[in-house]
Amino acid sequence: MPMSVMNVRTRTTSVIRAPASASARSMLDSLYKFVLPAVAGPARLVPLEALASSEISDVALRGAANRGRLQATRGSDGRWRSSRRWVDEYLASRYRRTPR
């Protein structure tokens, strides 16, 4: 069965897009993790992904913001933003279980 021109174009662009989107995603992850927090001061609002650390993940920060435990604002693009100072205050006030 011969392929139409549209099928060839679709298959070609999907193959080309996959690596590009993966590299773009990794560039954005690096930007949010290293560059943005260094440039922004402790009081500047940055996306929660930039404030994640080994102590707390961005998923946990988003959950805390949804519950109202972390002081954060939701931008017009739907992304949560907070500051390093607010995250540090949340981490200090967070309940920690003691080992038995």
Side-chain angles (χ1 to χ4, degrees), residues 4-76:
S4 68
V5 174
M6 185 59 107
N7 284 343
V8 172
R9 250 191 227 143
T10 304
R11 287 184 184 175
T12 305
T13 55
S14 65
V15 170
I16 292 171
R17 283 186 189 164
S21 64
S23 64
R25 190 177 309 116
S26 67
M27 285 175 48
L28 282 176
D29 288 345
S30 296
L31 177 73
Y32 288 142
K33 188 175 269 189
F34 302 113
V35 177
L36 200 58
V39 173
R44 279 206 144 157
L45 296 180
V46 295
L48 292 182
E49 297 88 14
L51 299 170
S53 65
S54 60
E55 189 175 356
I56 190 162
S57 69
D58 60 333
V59 176
L61 289 173
R62 234 178 290 129
N66 279 328
R67 289 189 312 274
R69 299 265 307 149
L70 171 64
Q71 193 173 2
T73 59
R74 190 171 228 163
S76 60

